[in-house]
Amino acid sequence: MGVSVPSGLSESKVASGLKQALQVGSENAVKIVGKPNGYFSNEAIKIVMPKELRPLESGLRVVGFGPKIDEFILSMNRSAEAAAPAARNIFIDAILAMSFDDAKRILSGGNTAATEYFKEKTTGHLTEAFTPVVKKTMDENGVVRQYDALTEQYKNIPFAKSQSLDIDHYVVSKALDGLFYELAEQEKKIRTNPAARTTDLLWEVFGRRAQ
């Protein structure tokens, strides 16, 4: 449910309140995911083997390569965690560029209207920013080398079918999915949980819900 635009507040105050809420929510989201285990220990956003490679995973675990699989999965998550802080400035730029009409539409929209706005405005920039960080971190952690070694081992299993995947693209995509998931959780809190409204301005703007 959206929040009605409060009567008695100027357009600039309403816009400022929403922008402040978005800054609080986006910074919280980035802090949560952009730290060690921010992805890996969060079952809702943990990066796991892509579905195309599940047969590879189960086949290799059967023949004793479970620890190598686990190491590979951990490395993918570490790459996402390293990339996430780059989102902060991109989110801030999107907030600063927001018009009053954007703010009003987000304020009266659903519980994840701001997250959808961010997806539309920032996905391209985030992909550009995340890709080199993910690639660098995966190179440092030997993720691609691990992936190549795992697929090579898989070929030795009878009846195994060859699989190929752009692992960099997969991790970047999943990193963004996790970031937007956490951003949506933060947005819901500010809209529905009074304790999440940490300033007087947020209380003014979000204090009354639409009937």
Side-chain angles (χ1 to χ4, degrees):
M1 182 187 290
V3 178
S4 59
V5 177
S7 59
L9 291 184
S10 67
E11 289 187 353
S12 63
K13 182 166 267 193
V14 169
S16 294
L18 180 67
K19 289 182 178 185
Q20 188 176 93
L22 294 181
Q23 185 165 345
V24 169
S26 61
E27 288 190 353
N28 285 344
V30 171
K31 284 178 185 174
I32 288 168
V33 301
K35 63 183 181 183
N37 295 322
Y39 282 85
F40 187 70
S41 294
N42 185 338
E43 288 302 318
I45 63 172
K46 180 180 179 180
I47 301 175
V48 297
M49 290 288 271
K51 63 178 182 292
E52 302 96 320
L53 301 182
R54 298 286 163 74
L56 178 150
E57 177 178 7
S58 57
L60 288 176
R61 286 190 185 279
V62 166
V63 295
F65 278 83
K68 291 293 184 184
I69 293 283
D70 294 338
E71 184 181 346
F72 175 67
I73 291 171
L74 176 62
S75 295
M76 288 194 294
N77 284 273
R78 289 288 183 260
S79 298
E81 291 156 8
R88 183 179 180 277
N89 288 339
I90 293 170
F91 282 154
I92 289 173
D93 287 345
I95 293 168
L96 292 175
M98 186 179 292
S99 68
F100 175 71
D101 285 342
D102 290 331
K104 192 162 63 172
R105 194 160 50 247
I106 290 168
L107 191 65
S108 59
N111 279 347
T112 60
T115 302
E116 294 306 315
Y117 173 85
F118 271 133
K119 279 185 184 178
E120 178 188 343
K121 298 294 183 182
T122 68
T123 294
H125 295 303
L126 288 170
T127 300
E128 289 176 10
F130 275 36
T131 298
V133 181
V134 164
K135 183 171 177 48
K136 179 175 182 290
T137 309
M138 294 212 303
D139 286 345
E140 290 172 353
N141 290 340
V143 176
V144 175
R145 188 173 65 251
Q146 291 168 354
Y147 170 70
D148 289 342
L150 290 172
T151 53
E152 193 61 36
Q153 289 296 331
Y154 187 60
K155 291 174 186 174
N156 296 327
I157 299 175
F159 311 112
K161 293 182 180 178
S162 177
Q163 295 284 358
S164 63
L165 178 75
D166 182 341
I167 203 69
D168 289 353
H169 175 77
Y170 172 74
V171 173
V172 169
S173 174
K174 288 300 180 183
L176 294 184
D177 287 349
L179 176 62
F180 285 126
Y181 172 89
E182 196 55 56
L183 185 61
E185 293 299 296
Q186 294 299 315
E187 180 182 358
K188 290 174 196 172
K189 285 180 185 177
I190 289 173
R191 287 181 183 270
T192 62
N193 181 1
R197 299 171 197 147
T198 53
T199 71
D200 291 340
L201 183 55
L202 293 185
W203 265 103
E204 274 192 88
V205 174
F206 289 91
R208 291 192 303 148
R209 290 180 57 74
Q211 300 299 314

